[in-house]
């Protein structure tokens, strides 16, 4: 089966300047993204995991041009988008949408649900003044995510967290996108509600042939929904591969530690194989030289302190940025 890359990211960087003094002089930069190379295949769910502060959400926002990049390229369906102005980006925005993490903050409390769902359709002049068609589409959207059209005249404060997230998903679907960035869409919800939202996302993906970049820190959630997994550390992709391979045989020491630390609801589970990392996460304002993980890595050697390991293919479709990934493969 042939595969097509819907999104191609090359050498993407986002640096936030650090300024001090009366003249607001720049004295450094926080490297939120530091040379990201990533492909998202059309029709897949790519899970993106990593510690808080590693740059996951920043990557999603920069990729959608909600934030500007410091440098690098992002191609969507063959179109380079980093150099486009707002007018040129507007048609593409219909194809690229986002579901935000916090369902309590992502909906305007002054707008009714009908107004929230109608807004993207009005901005893009989808129905060209046909109010009856607009109302019918809004009703279809709310029912698509499992809510009643009788709820359209209510306001966000009248809904639970799970219901608000369903409304956020309906808004993202309004313009019939091809790509949805789901930025930790279930992290603020109860566990029972999380499963409902995940199943809804999976059903919608199948029905509308969607592509997801699913950002999360909960490894069980990512494993449940993803086809492939990318692991981020300190603004870099350190491993990417098929979901079962990354979980079954991680090829980067950080990915191995991250997966081994996932809680297992079994009191008899053997926890002796867990990898305990030493030291603290380095500051993205002053990343260490060489491999960014070498200060915490249990298998680091002198080479790791000097040479930055490239993201390379270790087994078919499975890449890792580690000089000694073959050791983990054969362990």
């Amino acid at each position: 089966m042939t595969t097509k890359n819907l999104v191609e990211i090359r050498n993407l960087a986002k640096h936030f300047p650090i300024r001090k003094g009366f003249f607001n002089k720049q004295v450094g930069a926080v490297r939120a993204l530091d040379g990201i190379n990533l492909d998202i295949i059309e029709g897949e769910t790519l899970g993106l995991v990593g510690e808080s502060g590693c740059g996951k959400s920043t990557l999603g926002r920069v990729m959608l041009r909600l934030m500007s990049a410091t440098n690098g390229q992002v191609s969507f369906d063959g179109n380079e988008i980093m150099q486009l102005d707002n007018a040129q980006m507007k048609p593409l925005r219909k194809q690229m949408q986002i579901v935000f993490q916090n369902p309590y903050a992502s909906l305007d409390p002054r707008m009714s649900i009908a107004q929230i769902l109608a807004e993207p359709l009005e901005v893009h002049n989808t129905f060209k003044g046909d109010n009856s068609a607009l109302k019918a589409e809004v009703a279809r959207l709310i029912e698509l995510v499992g809510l009643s059209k009788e709820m359209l005249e209510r306001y966000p404060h009248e809904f639970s967290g799970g219901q608000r997230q369903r409304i956020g998903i309906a808004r993202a679907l309004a313009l019939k996108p091809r790509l949805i960035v789901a930025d930790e869409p279930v992290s603020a919800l109860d566990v029972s509600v999380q499963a409902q939202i995940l199943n809804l996302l999976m059903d919608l993906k199948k029905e509308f042939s969607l592509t997801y970049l699913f950002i999360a820190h909960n490894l069980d959630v990512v494993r449940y929904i993803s086809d492939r997994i990318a692991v981020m550390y300190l603004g870099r992709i350190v491993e990417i591969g098929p979901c079962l391979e990354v979980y079954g045989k991680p090829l980067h020491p950080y990915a191995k530690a991250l997966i081994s630390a996932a809680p297992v609801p079994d009191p008899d589970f053997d926890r002796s194989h867990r990898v305990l990392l030493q030291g603290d996460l380095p500051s993205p304002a002053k990343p260490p030289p060489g491999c960014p993980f070498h200060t915490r890595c249990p298998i680091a050697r002198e080479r790791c302190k000097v040479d930055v390991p490239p993201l390379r293919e270790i087994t078919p479709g499975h890449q890792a940025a580690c000089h000694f990934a073959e050791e983990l493969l054969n362990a």
Side-chain angles (χ1 to χ4, degrees):
M1 187 178 83
T2 58
T3 58
K4 173 187 174 184
N5 290 335
L6 183 61
V7 179
E8 295 180 351
I9 299 171
R10 298 292 180 266
N11 301 313
L12 190 64
K14 176 61 178 177
H15 299 169
F16 294 95
I18 301 172
R19 301 184 184 276
K20 288 185 178 180
F22 182 78
F23 295 102
N24 203 27
K25 181 180 178 181
Q26 183 173 341
V27 295
V30 174
R31 300 186 177 192
L33 303 177
D34 199 13
I36 297 289
N37 292 289
L38 185 66
D39 294 331
I40 303 177
I41 301 170
E42 188 167 22
E44 77 168 344
T45 298
L46 177 64
L48 185 62
V49 300
E51 291 172 288
S52 295
C54 71
K56 304 186 299 298
S57 295
T58 302
L59 175 57
R61 284 165 168 74
V62 172
M63 189 180 80
L64 296 181
R65 285 283 305 274
L66 299 179
M67 299 171 66
S68 61
T70 302
N71 53 55
Q73 295 83 41
V74 176
S75 174
F76 178 81
D77 197 23
N79 300 304
E80 168 57 43
I81 66 173
M82 285 293 104
Q83 306 304 321
L84 301 182
D85 60 29
N86 289 336
Q88 293 169 320
M89 272 298 299
K90 187 174 180 179
L92 284 175
R93 293 202 183 280
K94 296 170 67 175
Q95 302 181 52
M96 309 159 64
Q97 293 293 306
I98 186 169
V99 176
F100 293 99
Q101 175 180 359
N102 188 348
Y104 296 92
S106 61
L107 303 178
D108 191 332
R110 298 166 297 179
M111 298 174 68
S112 69
I113 305 308
Q115 292 172 321
I116 288 171
L117 296 183
E119 184 179 31
L121 298 168
E122 293 170 342
V123 168
H124 289 271
N125 200 24
T126 304
F127 292 100
K128 299 180 180 179
D130 188 343
N131 287 331
S132 61
L134 177 63
K135 290 180 180 179
E137 179 63 10
V138 167
R140 187 188 73 87
L141 287 170
I142 196 74
E143 292 178 340
L144 193 63
V145 295
L147 299 178
S148 168
K149 62 183 179 181
E150 282 73 29
M151 298 178 173
L152 286 170
E153 297 310 314
R154 299 182 188 175
Y155 287 81
H157 72 272
E158 300 179 68
F159 294 88
S160 67
Q163 289 174 324
R164 293 188 202 192
Q165 200 59 289
R166 288 175 184 267
I167 294 164
I169 293 169
R171 178 176 59 185
L173 290 172
L175 297 172
K176 299 180 173 61
R178 297 169 63 190
L179 171 71
I180 291 181
V181 174
D183 186 8
E184 305 226 27
V186 298
S187 63
L189 307 177
D190 293 338
V191 174
S192 59
V193 180
Q194 287 183 9
Q196 297 173 20
I197 298 300
L198 291 174
N199 289 330
L200 172 64
L201 289 171
M202 294 172 73
D203 291 341
L204 293 171
K205 176 191 173 184
K206 186 180 299 183
E207 182 174 353
F208 297 107
S209 301
L210 297 169
T211 302
Y212 289 142
L213 174 64
F214 189 91
I215 300 169
H217 61 267
N218 186 321
L219 295 172
D220 288 333
V221 166
V222 173
R223 176 164 49 186
Y224 180 71
I225 199 172
S226 302
D227 301 305
R228 290 192 303 146
I229 294 176
V231 182
M232 278 192 76
Y233 182 80
L234 214 62
R236 294 174 177 266
I237 301 292
V238 297
E239 184 166 352
I240 183 169
C243 179
L244 295 180
E245 288 190 25
V246 173
Y247 273 88
K249 196 71 173 179
L251 300 180
H252 191 282
Y254 174 67
K256 184 176 181 179
L258 202 65
I259 291 168
S260 75
V264 178
D266 181 359
D268 298 322
F269 177 74
D270 182 7
R271 291 168 171 79
S272 62
H273 299 295
R274 284 191 169 175
V275 179
L276 299 178
L277 298 179
Q278 304 298 319
D280 297 323
L281 180 69
S283 168
K286 291 183 179 180
C291 175
F293 186 60
H294 83 262
T295 57
R296 305 170 73 194
C297 181
I299 64 171
R301 300 169 197 175
E302 286 302 315
R303 180 184 178 186
C304 304
K305 300 177 182 179
V306 180
D307 297 334
V308 179
L311 187 65
R312 57 194 178 91
E313 191 168 67
I314 310 301
T315 62
H318 194 167
Q319 298 175 292
C322 178
H323 295 304
F324 308 107
E326 287 79 4
E327 294 184 10
L328 294 178
L329 176 64
N330 299 320

